[in-house]
Amino acid sequence: MSKNDIKVALIGNPNTGKTSLFNQLTGLNQKVGNYPGITVDKKEGISKLSATQNAVITDLPGTYSINPTSLDESIVLKTLLKKDIKESPDVILVVADVENLKRNLLLFSQIKDLEVPTVLAINMVDQMNRKGITIDLSLLKKELNTEVVLISARKNEGIDAVKAAIIRCHVAAKASPLCGINNQIDPDYFTKLKEISPNYSLYELWLMVTQSNYPDAISSEEKQKLLAFKKDVSKLKKYQHKETIYRYQEINKILKKTYIVDKTKAKDLRGKLDRVFTHQFFGYFFFVFLLLVIFQSIFEWASLPMDLIDGTFAELASFAKSNLPSGVFTDLLTEGIIPGIGGVLIFIPQIAILFLFIAVLEETGYMSRVVFLMDKIMRRFGMNGKSVIPLISGTACAIPAVMATRTISSWKERLITILVVPFTTCSARLPVYAILISLVIPETKIFGFLNIQGLVLLALYALGFATAIIAAYILHKTLKIKTKSFFVVEMPNYKIPSIKNIFFEVVEKTKSFVFEAGKIILAFSIVLWFLASNGPTSFDDAEKNTIENLSNNSLSEQELQQKIASAKLENSYIGILGKTIEPSIKPLGYDWKIGIALITSFAAREVFVGTLATIYSVQADDENTTTIKQKMRSEINPDTGKNRFNFSVGMSLMVFYAFAMQCMATLAIVKRETKTWKWPLIQLFGMGLLAYVASFITYQILS
Amino acid sequence: MLKIYDSRFFAGIFLYQKRVSTIATLQKGEIGYISEESLDFIPLKLLEMGCLPGAEVQLVQIAPLKDPLYICVNGSHLAIRIETASKIQILKS
């Protein structure tokens, strides 16, 4: 980004095609960063406006008004009010939907009153004929006193005109308020407000008063004066209402002259589809059917690429091991870093497929219907119709799911959703379930076609959802948080999804998952590797002692190496840790080796399998290594002389993994989203306790 | 004298409730006009989304479990909960 680039903020109502326009303007030149101080994703892209002029375009979250009611929307206000810092936009590009121009112009009128150069792009004009709409463009330009462009972002029409308008608008730097809120409502009041500071427009000062959001550069004296205006809350509320009505009156006046709808020409597809999708029987039927299709595809389509990634990284590790000089660095690379990266990347297929489905459902407008169908049910459990989306996302990964709660405006409903999302069966639990099921559940079929192993997996998914719902209900009854529970969802028009938008969405979300979770998982893999390959003095003696003790036995070289490695592991830091917790996990049926796997699982659950693999298979140079499954099957419990992974231990472990909060990355995200360690700690200990008790009961009953 | 336990008192409440129409009392497909007195009871966010006094409002669809309601007002299609809808008075034409 160079100094001469024009900074453009892209703003608009949800479902106006804002993202399409952003993708058309920037193409592949996009990146996602964070807003300073807050953690909402900031999407930026560079657009080539002309041969000599570039623009940096920031895509702000969709909002109906500058007055925020959810975390997503508050970003818009924060970005626009920081006039003093370098990030403030030079030009604001407002996107509006041609079909609902009136409501879209409300946001435009607010933006205009900030007195920043503004371009209005009216989108989806290809629909005008079908909807019977005609616009007098030149008169509209004059009335709104701004650059207005008619575009069709999906069809890539009018994009050049937008670019030209941005340049013209930037050069002219003309910015005048549209409505002016002062004269109509209470002239005295607003004149006094304006006198506080000459540096800000009246509307900005008004926003500071109503939204308690102050620019960094405002003086404390000015701030004191503004605070005095906040005293009469009912008056503020009344004036905000009046302001909105006044704005609509002005907009109506303008549209009367410039915008005509011939309703007889409009065709109604929406009504027909709504009758099916929100039908009291077919509505739910279709939703459940859709969920089944989604889960089925996640497992069917993802298994092949997942195996490929798994295999590639295993080969990469063995390749590195045999081709690099042996030493600490090689060990770190082959036992820590490569498996660590592989452990993150293996989830990409599942997560990408899930994001693909969610993106399609959102793009088509169907997701709002799900919210509509589910709100009443979710409300009984202290959540919101909008909580359905995070709960579905949670089956891929809890991290994006927690972030998806941002659209929920009631804090209590949002918090409950965040707290229970980790109960849903995320893809990291799958490898754990998969190996344990294959070990302890017989591969038989009932009724000739129902695979018992599959049924157990399905039961574990059901267990996750059921626990999430029950936990939400308990939290709903115990949490004493008073928030205004206000709910409004727009039911957008049905649309055919744009492949380009969906592609960008899936790439961006998957990327952000890989980096967010990847950092933590990778760091932990390295720490674990260190803890497993180092130890106090007894660790260094382990090799010598083992050789001495076993020198009389006639062991093969391989068996000897194996004994040495086990002895080493037992005496490493992590082995000592496992031994320390052994007494407390014995009632659950676990030994210290499983204990190690439990500890390492805190990096990420799937590390369980890898850790056990490391523990049981230490002869890395053996080409004929049996699979992890075989190794686990041949593991013997010395107390009983029978298999370690019997039915009761396997079930107990699965129950433990279903409930326990073993994911550092999720804890970190929850801390970020709730701004305190209180909630992630409650999750950690609450879910941990539940897991312990539940697996204790499972083991004691089954054994 | 009218006492609280008097059946006429309850009848009075019943009649009063009957008389006041809100968005929540609309039938599916029915149209009403938001009354001016409702202004203070309409949350700012709904106002901003076009739910203004005087505006025509149609009840498009009722969710299977009777809540929320799917309305069309001023060109916006919105789902709101009954809790909110029952505070917004309307006049029928």
Side-chain angles (χ1 to χ4, degrees):
Chain A
M1 175 180 164
S2 79
K3 260 189 182 167
N4 297 326
D5 290 351
I6 304 175
K7 281 166 285 174
V8 179
L10 184 58
I11 296 180
N13 286 188
N15 310 309
T16 48
K18 191 167 62 66
T19 311
S20 298
L21 178 58
F22 180 73
N23 289 339
Q24 296 289 11
L25 283 170
T26 61
L28 278 166
N29 294 316
Q30 305 186 1
K31 66 175 204 296
V32 179
N34 276 340
Y35 289 96
I38 39 176
T39 52
V40 172
D41 289 342
K42 175 180 183 169
K43 239 164 77 177
E44 266 186 358
I46 292 175
S47 176
K48 208 168 167 58
L49 297 181
S50 70
T52 52
Q53 182 70 63
N54 280 356
V56 177
I57 300 184
T58 308
D59 187 16
L60 292 167
T63 181
Y64 298 101
S65 141
I66 282 188
N67 305 314
T69 47
S70 72
L71 185 63
D72 261 353
E73 294 173 353
S74 68
I75 306 306
V76 177
L77 179 70
K78 277 182 184 151
T79 311
L80 297 182
L81 263 191
K82 290 200 172 174
K83 257 203 164 169
D84 25 79
I85 60 167
K86 279 182 255 159
E87 304 209 358
S88 73
D90 301 320
V91 174
I92 300 178
L93 175 56
V94 181
V95 192
D97 175 0
V98 72
E99 209 188 321
N100 202 343
L101 196 55
K102 195 197 285 177
R103 195 193 64 210
N104 283 263
L105 284 181
L106 177 84
L107 177 65
F108 171 81
S109 82
Q110 293 172 330
I111 302 279
K112 195 84 172 79
D113 285 355
L114 293 172
E115 298 179 26
V116 178
T118 309
V119 175
L120 175 67
I122 301 179
N123 193 12
M124 302 190 228
V125 293
D126 53 312
Q127 302 281 320
M128 275 167 70
N129 268 337
R130 218 164 60 91
K131 306 276 176 190
I133 298 168
T134 33
I135 294 179
D136 183 343
L137 186 62
S138 57
L139 188 60
L140 190 63
K141 274 184 196 169
K142 213 178 112 204
E143 291 285 336
L144 294 177
N145 191 16
T146 199
E147 294 278 351
V148 184
V149 192
L150 299 181
I151 63 165
S152 175
R154 279 168 173 242
K155 300 198 166 166
N156 204 6
E157 285 164 14
I159 307 299
D160 289 335
V162 172
K163 290 178 177 177
I166 292 173
I167 295 178
R168 280 201 304 274
C169 193
H170 182 58
V171 172
K174 184 179 68 176
S176 52
L178 179 68
C179 297
I181 44 174
N182 47 347
N183 302 325
Q184 305 293 321
I185 301 168
D186 183 343
D188 286 354
Y189 182 91
F190 284 97
T191 311
K192 272 187 204 140
L193 182 63
K194 178 71 190 112
E195 281 164 2
I196 290 178
S197 169
N199 301 329
Y200 299 95
S201 74
L202 173 58
Y203 186 56
E204 282 174 297
L205 292 166
W206 174 234
L207 282 175
M208 292 175 210
V209 172
T210 54
Q211 305 301 327
S212 310
N213 206 316
Y214 305 97
D216 300 341
I218 199 156
S219 73
S220 57
E221 189 193 348
E222 287 166 342
K223 200 169 167 178
Q224 282 308 315
K225 284 182 185 166
L226 287 172
L227 285 173
F229 275 84
K230 285 186 72 74
K231 274 181 194 145
D232 193 346
V233 181
S234 65
K235 197 171 189 174
L236 279 186
K237 202 184 144 205
K238 206 167 131 196
Y239 284 3
Q240 276 186 300
H241 275 63
K242 280 193 170 177
E243 177 203 334
T244 306
I245 289 173
Y246 175 59
R247 285 183 189 282
Y248 266 112
Q249 284 168 348
E250 293 294 305
I251 292 164
N252 275 334
K253 267 187 231 163
I254 293 171
L255 288 182
K256 217 168 213 172
K257 287 182 260 182
T258 56
Y259 181 91
I260 304 157
V261 192
D262 183 355
K263 275 193 178 158
T264 55
K265 284 187 184 167
K267 290 175 198 140
D268 190 27
L269 178 66
R270 164 204 290 274
K272 284 178 194 151
L273 287 174
D274 272 339
R275 241 165 278 149
V276 179
F277 290 138
T278 62
H279 188 271
Q280 52 180 334
F281 172 70
F282 294 113
Y284 291 108
F285 181 80
F286 183 74
F287 180 49
V288 171
F289 175 74
L290 205 64
L291 284 183
L292 287 177
V293 170
I294 293 175
F295 286 131
Q296 187 66 26
S297 341
I298 287 175
F299 295 119
E300 288 289 314
W301 301 351
S303 63
L304 184 70
M306 284 176 92
D307 291 345
L308 271 178
I309 295 172
D310 202 19
T312 310
F313 274 86
E315 263 170 42
L316 198 65
S318 66
F319 175 79
K321 198 156 192 126
S322 50
N323 285 288
L324 288 172
S326 62
V328 178
F329 177 73
T330 305
D331 286 351
L332 172 66
L333 194 67
T334 56
E335 292 166 16
I337 294 175
I338 293 178
I341 295 174
V344 180
L345 297 188
I346 194 157
F347 292 114
I348 289 181
Q350 284 190 337
I351 284 179
I353 292 172
L354 189 81
F355 284 146
L356 176 79
F357 274 107
I358 291 178
V360 170
L361 296 189
E362 300 229 35
E363 275 264 318
T364 51
Y366 176 70
M367 210 55 126
S368 300
R369 275 70 186 181
V370 173
V371 172
F372 178 66
L373 280 179
M374 299 298 290
D375 183 61
K376 183 80 184 278
I377 300 172
M378 301 305 278
R379 218 186 313 163
R380 290 206 186 122
F381 300 99
M383 292 188 280
N384 188 301
K386 293 176 187 168
S387 307
V388 174
I389 301 158
L391 288 177
I392 298 173
S393 309
T395 54
C397 176
I399 295 164
V402 168
M403 291 197 275
T405 62
R406 282 179 189 145
T407 53
I408 301 172
S409 57
S410 151
W411 168 237
K412 188 179 172 184
E413 292 171 341
R414 179 163 175 245
L415 180 67
I416 291 177
T417 312
I418 290 177
L419 291 178
V420 304
V421 149
F423 278 119
T424 54
T425 305
C426 68
S427 48
R429 286 183 175 101
L430 262 186
V432 181
Y433 289 165
I435 199 146
L436 290 171
I437 285 177
S438 67
L439 273 176
V440 303
I441 309 290
E443 210 174 326
T444 46
K445 289 189 172 160
I446 42 175
F447 308 128
F449 65 98
L450 278 174
N451 188 327
I452 295 189
Q453 295 190 331
L455 283 182
V456 172
L457 188 64
L458 197 68
L460 284 164
Y461 269 90
L463 179 69
F465 270 119
T467 319
I469 294 287
I470 294 166
Y473 187 76
I474 294 167
L475 287 167
H476 175 46
K477 292 290 168 199
T478 49
L479 282 180
K480 293 277 173 277
I481 298 173
K482 282 216 164 146
T483 47
K484 272 185 292 173
S485 161
F486 174 63
F487 172 89
V488 57
V489 185
E490 193 188 2
M491 307 293 263
N493 263 330
Y494 290 101
K495 270 187 282 232
I496 294 167
S498 133
I499 292 169
K500 198 170 181 178
N501 286 355
I502 286 174
F503 173 75
F504 279 119
E505 174 93 3
V506 171
V507 168
E508 179 208 313
K509 285 209 169 150
T510 311
K511 233 164 74 183
S512 97
F513 161 79
V514 169
F515 290 115
E516 286 290 341
K519 276 186 296 198
I520 297 168
I521 297 177
L522 183 60
F524 255 76
S525 312
I526 294 170
V527 170
L528 287 176
W529 168 81
F530 175 82
L531 291 178
S533 48
N534 289 279
T537 44
S538 60
F539 178 77
D540 299 323
D541 300 335
E543 184 166 351
K544 203 174 67 199
N545 292 342
T546 317
I547 295 172
E548 279 171 12
N549 292 344
L550 297 171
S551 54
N552 301 331
N553 302 9
S554 53
L555 282 170
S556 72
E557 179 64 14
Q558 245 181 41
E559 283 170 312
L560 184 66
Q561 287 299 330
Q562 200 171 2
K563 294 274 182 220
I564 293 171
S566 317
K568 271 189 165 180
L569 186 72
E570 203 172 337
N571 286 295
S572 69
Y573 289 117
I574 199 105
I576 294 166
L577 204 57
K579 287 259 181 199
T580 315
I581 66 163
E582 190 172 24
S584 62
I585 54 173
K586 207 153 193 167
L588 313 183
Y590 314 153
D591 63 358
W592 64 273
K593 291 177 192 168
I594 300 177
I596 293 175
L598 289 186
I599 296 169
T600 58
S601 290
F602 274 93
R605 295 179 179 92
E606 76 279 6
V607 174
F608 173 82
V609 182
T611 307
L612 286 183
T614 317
I615 295 172
Y616 297 139
S617 86
V618 268
Q619 339 100 286
D621 44 17
D622 180 5
E623 287 304 316
N624 303 324
T625 15
T626 46
T627 63
I628 300 167
K629 202 164 105 185
Q630 285 164 323
K631 278 168 203 145
M632 286 170 78
R633 186 163 281 154
S634 56
E635 174 76 1
I636 299 295
N637 182 350
D639 295 341
T640 60
K642 289 185 183 150
N643 282 347
R644 160 62 63 198
F645 289 96
N646 55 18
F647 182 66
S648 51
V649 172
M651 290 308 283
S652 160
L653 264 174
M654 280 192 263
V655 168
F656 191 90
Y657 274 82
F659 293 143
M661 177 66 170
Q662 293 163 295
C663 183
M664 284 291 159
T666 304
L667 288 172
I669 295 287
V670 172
K671 150 76 180 35
R672 229 177 60 170
E673 296 290 314
T674 60
K675 296 189 183 68
T676 143
W677 278 111
K678 181 181 165 192
W679 301 113
L681 286 176
I682 286 177
Q683 273 182 319
L684 180 65
F685 291 108
M687 292 173 71
L689 188 70
L690 177 63
Y692 189 89
V693 173
S695 9
F696 176 78
I697 294 170
T698 310
Y699 180 69
Q700 296 300 335
I701 289 176
L702 294 178
S703 66
Chain B
M1 199 184 132
L2 190 67
K3 292 212 172 85
I4 278 219
Y5 48 78
D6 193 322
S7 65
R8 279 176 301 163
F9 177 84
F10 285 105
I13 291 179
F14 181 67
L15 281 175
Y16 176 76
Q17 283 184 335
K18 239 344 216 206
R19 199 168 52 87
V20 179
S21 313
T22 66
I23 292 181
T25 63
L26 281 174
Q27 299 293 311
K28 191 173 153 184
E30 203 180 3
I31 288 172
Y33 297 87
I34 299 175
S35 76
E36 300 290 334
E37 301 94 74
S38 303
L39 181 56
D40 293 340
F41 301 103
I42 306 176
L44 182 61
K45 172 116 179 174
L46 264 186
L47 269 185
E48 290 176 333
M49 291 175 92
C51 207
L52 300 163
E56 181 187 294
V57 53
Q58 183 186 21
L59 184 67
V60 179
Q61 185 74 266
I62 302 166
L65 299 168
K66 308 285 170 234
D67 192 10
L69 305 173
Y70 176 172
I71 60 169
C72 176
V73 56
N74 241 330
S76 291
H77 294 80
L78 310 170
I80 56 173
R81 288 178 179 170
I82 283 190
E83 181 195 349
T84 314
S86 61
K87 286 181 198 147
I88 305 174
Q89 291 183 24
I90 51 157
L91 305 167
K92 289 181 186 172
S93 49

